[in-house]
Amino acid sequence: MARRYPSTIAAAVEHEIVITKSRFITHVVPASDPAAADRVIADVRKQAWDARHHCSAMVTGVLGDQARSSDDGEPSGTAGVPMLEVLRRRDLTDLVAVVTRYFGGVKLGAGGLVRAYSTSVSEALDRASLVRREALTDVTVDVPHADAGRIDNVLRDWVARRRAVLGATSYGAAATFAVSVPHDDVDVLRADLAAASGGTLDPVVGAERIVDVPGAPASTGHFGA
């Protein structure tokens, strides 16, 4: 069975909710490492300098093995950890969530804060687009320029029907197409290219790597909050 890797998000999302007069403004932003996440947090602090709290949670690493959270002055365990739990439950990595709170004058209590911060992140993620990640094998194939347009159409149709990604095409003596495919589909791709070219195309198989594959909105599927 193929190993599953945590997904990430395609682009930054901002979302605001108001609970008992307090404003909770959430930024969920892609971040490839803790330093990138720290820069996001610093930027949010700078933009919303007059807010009382900027609570945060981040998960980074291909396996989601680096995680950190901060309550930023809220009672211990009422903000950062609940936010982090939402990211963990949705099996996400390489992102940071920052919730800025403008206090509305009414205390929410520990339970109310946990619900407010977790709901803020959850609703923001519901508006994000997921990018799933898979271990795919790189394959390249050189195609004569005269056949490049037709093979481009063949490959676009091929990847649309499989868990595969068509990379950038480079042009030199020939047009070199790059495709990332599941290991078990390498022979299928080889056979389909042979059929499309009368046996003249000979793909070159490269290394396996973790590849971003655009997915569905985070609100679909089994993801919960």
Side-chain angles (χ1 to χ4, degrees):
M1 186 176 183
R3 181 171 192 170
R4 287 192 59 186
Y5 293 89
S7 300
T8 189
I9 59 173
V13 175
E14 180 179 348
H15 178 61
E16 178 177 342
I17 62 175
V18 177
I19 299 176
T20 319
K21 298 183 179 180
S22 282
R23 295 173 61 203
F24 294 85
I25 304 168
T26 302
H27 291 84
V28 182
V29 183
S32 58
D33 53 46
D38 286 340
R39 288 192 292 272
V40 172
I41 296 169
D43 287 345
V44 172
R45 286 184 178 279
K46 185 176 180 179
Q47 294 168 15
W49 57 270
D50 54 340
R52 177 171 291 193
H53 305 285
H54 301 282
C55 304
S56 61
M58 69 178 77
V59 182
T60 57
V62 170
L63 299 177
D65 51 356
Q66 301 178 72
R68 195 166 76 213
S69 65
S70 169
D71 294 315
D72 194 40
E74 293 283 29
S76 179
T78 63
V81 170
M83 292 166 61
L84 182 59
E85 287 178 351
V86 173
L87 303 183
R88 288 298 200 194
R89 279 200 299 271
R90 298 210 182 197
D91 197 22
L92 297 172
T93 191
D94 284 350
L95 78 169
V96 58
V98 186
V99 179
T100 297
R101 182 189 182 191
Y102 285 93
F103 183 56
V106 179
K107 293 184 177 181
L108 302 181
L113 288 173
V114 169
R115 287 190 295 274
Y117 281 101
S118 60
T119 298
S120 295
V121 176
S122 178
E123 290 191 5
L125 288 172
D126 285 344
R127 289 156 174 78
S129 294
L130 282 187
V131 176
R132 74 180 189 275
R133 287 176 168 170
E134 297 192 25
L136 301 180
T137 299
D138 288 332
V139 178
T140 59
V141 59
D142 289 339
V143 179
H145 290 288
D147 297 326
R150 182 173 61 84
I151 297 302
D152 179 71
N153 290 332
V154 169
L155 289 173
R156 289 183 185 280
D157 180 65
W158 198 90
V159 300
R161 293 182 284 109
R162 290 172 173 81
R163 302 189 332 272
V165 176
L166 183 62
T169 304
S170 59
Y171 295 92
T176 300
F177 291 90
V179 191
S180 298
V181 306
H183 178 74
D184 292 344
D185 284 347
V186 170
D187 288 342
V188 178
L189 176 61
R190 190 190 305 274
D192 289 348
L193 283 172
S197 66
T200 63
L201 295 182
D202 185 22
V204 176
V205 179
E208 185 176 76
R209 62 189 177 92
I210 307 303
V211 177
D212 288 352
V213 183
S219 58
T220 63
H222 64 280
F223 295 97

